[in-house]
Amino acid sequence: MEGTFDLPNKYATKAKTTSAGTSNGLAAEVNEIREALDGYVLDPAQYPDNAAGLKLSDDGKPPPHPSAERFTRRPAKLERAEEGHHATNHRLHCCVGGLHRRHSDYHRDSAVFDNSEWDMTAAAVQKAVVGNIFAIGACGLFVVAFANYFGRLPVTLVFQAVFFATCAWSAAATSFESYLAARIVNGLFCSVGQGGALMWIKDLFFFHEHPRAINWVEFSIITSPYLGPLITAFIVSGTTWRWPFWLCTILAGIALILTVFFLDETLYTRSIPQSERVPKGSRVQRLIGIDQARSFHQRSLTESLMRPIVAITKLPVLLTIIYYFLNFAWVIGVNTTVSIWLTQFYGFTPRGIGYFYFFGIIGPLIGWFAGHWLHDTVGRLYAHRHDGRIDPEARLIIAYPATALLFVAVIVIGFALEHQWHYIVLAVFSGVQTVGVMIVTTAINAYLLDCYPEGSGEVGAWVTASRNWSGFMATFIQIEWVTSAGPATAFGAQAGITGASIIILVILQLYGNKVRKWQGRMVFSKQSKVL
């Protein structure tokens, strides 16, 4: 991690114990970079003297908490409360960003726009949607690059402020050209929460807390594309299309206020000696970036901008985002197709579509609830069979059954649309698809974070880019494909792509560790070599 501030990352490079009781006199040591290659130690017995001197989890069981370098006198309970504030605020940022995007998706899918106002077809309105989606994918890459130089807090503040302004701009647009520009600019700034999710999680949580923290954040992200149409459907049934955007403006304003009053800087570099650290200034100075500017000489803007490029050169990262692209695309495809079919063939009113979209809340909720224990359970079982260590590739085990759920769901939805089965079938298996994608999303994020802890923000930003760019692609091709080939054929091909993507999981599990050792870890600067 880069930076010099008061909320350190909770992995210490070294955590020493006394040498008494050890046969070779060596001190216990926790080094996350080495463990990312050789496997993270979950069994304290693997350390000299049974990990004496290493802080264990709150219940006294493994995994050990690496003892962080502390430069604060705040009590531990206050720090844990602050983590809760950060995590809650971050989930709101993620949800509001996705909510705003899906407002315009719904407008396109159901032609809610008042054609008499701008004389626009649904196809023309689609241009605004796909531009916004592509921009959202790019947003996270800029967020993590800037955040590693200017600091987490000021970058979040600037991006959230522009997001708030462009939400209002979208709602008040007086022409389609103005609306189009608002949507694209909005996309470039609205994904500060999604794109930087793993960066914040890595800053704030211990290793053993990562899967659950990721599960919480991803629940907000996966739910938002369904929460937007759900809310919008009820609003537009009684008023104009502008009010959903005004609602999102209000929520973005709340998120901005929470950023100003509750978030704090978490950027921190352990490699900088304490004697060279810049004294911490006031919170206002951290908020507007003055505090961070005092340590610019310790970082490089060019290197920060190159961090996402370095990350994507790692084959495990590239293969993982390809796998995710091939799966999440059809989640957006189903979402787009079902909403149109419900209107045109099932006779659903906007309010009826709103009720239908409750599947997008229930499905991710089931996926979150299952994942809350499932990811940790799989990790513990794997460690039990591998001498107390867990390799990053173990995180992918749960992705196999989740991918199977995605495969089955897409197949059934295709036949249901082809033969116009009861809409309950569509609701149930659309929900099954969201359960699968929820589990997959947490698994691949946890895998990449375990693989490259030094590039947490970068790998998370690429996952966000993969998610949104797959939606960009699906939005362009889905309706024409389904209309020309028929739902059963089109969705059958998409299910085949989903099934074939398992080959990538097999490659990563068989050769991922060897490839990571061959390519080495991510080195972003000269400072990285001494982390």
Side-chain angles (χ1 to χ4, degrees):
M1 312 309 296
E2 301 289 345
T4 59
F5 305 104
D6 196 13
L7 292 176
N9 181 285
K10 294 186 175 177
Y11 286 101
T13 305
K14 287 187 176 181
K16 295 184 177 180
T17 67
T18 60
S19 58
T22 60
S23 59
N24 54 11
L26 296 177
E29 180 181 286
V30 175
N31 186 314
E32 67 171 336
I33 302 302
R34 186 178 64 239
E35 293 198 359
L37 294 176
D38 299 332
Y40 291 87
V41 178
L42 301 187
D43 183 5
Q46 299 295 320
Y47 291 96
D49 200 19
N50 200 36
L54 286 180
K55 183 180 178 181
L56 302 181
S57 54
D58 295 336
D59 57 5
K61 299 178 181 179
H65 286 199
S67 303
E69 299 176 43
R70 299 291 184 180
F71 295 94
T72 173
R73 293 184 176 87
R74 287 172 299 178
K77 288 184 179 180
L78 180 59
E79 291 182 358
R80 301 301 291 179
E82 189 170 80
E83 286 176 2
H85 292 155
H86 277 70
T88 301
N89 293 339
H90 190 74
R91 288 195 291 271
L92 178 61
H93 282 72
C94 293
C95 187
V96 172
L99 182 68
H100 191 53
R101 187 195 85 192
R102 286 303 296 168
H103 280 332
S104 55
D105 282 1
Y106 177 84
H107 295 154
R108 177 208 67 212
D109 295 342
S110 57
V112 167
F113 274 107
D114 185 358
N115 290 341
S116 64
E117 181 175 354
W118 291 341
D119 193 26
M120 301 295 298
T121 65
V125 174
Q126 181 176 350
K127 296 178 181 178
V129 178
V130 296
N132 174 258
I133 295 174
F134 187 87
I136 290 174
C139 173
L141 301 175
F142 289 107
V143 167
V144 298
F146 291 145
N148 278 292
Y149 183 75
F150 296 103
R152 318 291 200 228
L153 185 58
V155 168
T156 300
L157 176 66
V158 170
F159 273 68
Q160 190 63 37
V162 177
F163 174 44
F164 168 73
T166 53
C167 285
W169 180 6
S170 300
T174 56
S175 68
F176 178 73
E177 290 73 18
S178 176
Y179 175 81
L180 176 61
R183 301 301 300 130
I184 294 175
V185 176
N186 174 272
L188 289 172
F189 289 88
C190 77
S191 190
V192 62
Q194 295 185 33
L198 286 193
M199 176 178 66
W200 288 92
I201 289 173
K202 179 63 169 61
D203 287 349
L204 291 168
F205 295 97
F206 290 111
F207 168 78
H208 77 286
E209 297 171 319
H210 287 170
R212 291 193 178 187
I214 293 170
N215 203 40
W216 267 110
V217 170
E218 293 302 332
F219 171 71
S220 303
I221 296 173
I222 300 300
T223 302
S224 60
Y226 302 97
L227 186 61
L230 188 154
I231 295 174
T232 302
F234 289 112
I235 293 176
V236 299
S237 65
T239 184
T240 69
W241 62 267
R242 296 182 185 273
W243 270 105
F245 287 104
W246 284 122
L247 173 62
C248 201
T249 303
I250 294 171
L251 294 176
I254 294 173
L256 179 60
I257 293 172
L258 293 175
T259 298
V260 172
F261 289 101
F262 292 101
L263 291 186
D264 205 341
E265 183 58 72
T266 62
L267 189 61
Y268 181 82
T269 299
R270 298 186 304 276
S271 60
I272 298 176
Q274 187 172 1
S275 59
E276 299 178 15
R277 295 185 182 276
V278 177
K280 179 181 176 181
S282 68
R283 190 180 182 284
V284 173
Q285 290 177 326
R286 296 195 300 276
L287 181 66
I288 62 178
I290 294 176
D291 207 21
Q292 294 86 334
R294 294 174 181 148
S295 61
F296 280 169
H297 64 281
Q298 297 171 338
R299 303 187 293 281
S300 167
L301 179 58
T302 301
E303 290 172 346
S304 295
L305 293 174
M306 288 298 295
R307 290 173 70 102
I309 306 301
V310 173
I312 199 60
T313 62
K314 302 301 181 182
L315 286 177
V317 178
L318 179 61
L319 290 174
T320 301
I321 66 171
I322 291 175
Y323 161 79
Y324 194 49
F325 185 99
L326 296 177
N327 284 274
F328 199 85
W330 317 129
V331 176
I332 301 300
V334 166
N335 205 354
T336 300
T337 308
V338 167
S339 60
I340 292 178
W341 250 248
L342 289 175
T343 302
Q344 295 184 356
F345 299 102
Y346 287 81
F348 270 53
T349 63
R351 186 177 292 272
I353 292 178
Y355 285 116
F356 182 87
Y357 266 97
F358 273 105
F359 83 82
I361 309 300
I362 297 173
L365 186 62
I366 294 173
W368 165 82
F369 185 79
H372 190 70
W373 290 277
L374 205 55
H375 295 284
D376 287 340
T377 300
V378 171
R380 285 194 298 269
L381 291 175
Y382 182 93
H384 180 72
R385 299 184 61 182
H386 293 81
D387 299 323
R389 288 181 178 269
I390 177 172
D391 295 309
E393 285 71 26
R395 301 297 189 189
L396 298 175
I397 294 174
I398 194 60
Y400 287 96
T403 306
L405 288 178
L406 294 174
F407 175 85
V408 172
V410 173
I411 286 284
V412 174
I413 290 171
F415 279 104
L417 292 173
E418 179 82 21
H419 302 291
Q420 295 188 25
W421 293 349
H422 198 281
Y423 63 83
I424 289 297
V425 177
L426 294 176
V428 169
F429 282 91
S430 294
V432 169
Q433 187 185 38
T434 61
V435 173
V437 81
M438 179 69 207
I439 295 173
V440 161
T441 302
T442 299
I444 64 168
N445 275 285
Y447 166 66
L448 290 178
L449 184 55
D450 286 1
C451 286
Y452 301 104
E454 70 277 14
S456 58
E458 289 69 31
V459 298
W462 278 113
V463 171
T464 299
S466 175
R467 173 167 52 230
N468 286 281
W469 289 344
S470 67
F472 173 84
M473 181 273 294
T475 300
F476 258 118
I477 70 172
Q478 183 71 13
I479 299 305
E480 289 78 5
W481 188 5
V482 173
T483 302
S484 61
T489 301
F491 280 96
Q494 293 167 13
I497 295 172
T498 296
S501 70
I502 291 182
I503 296 173
I504 296 178
L505 295 180
V506 174
I507 292 173
L508 288 172
Q509 287 213 291
L510 293 179
Y511 304 106
N513 183 266
K514 295 178 181 179
V515 171
R516 288 187 290 110
K517 289 182 177 180
W518 168 61
Q519 285 193 299
R521 67 184 182 89
M522 296 179 186
V523 178
F524 303 114
S525 67
K526 293 181 180 179
Q527 290 182 358
S528 299
K529 298 178 181 179
V530 294
L531 277 175

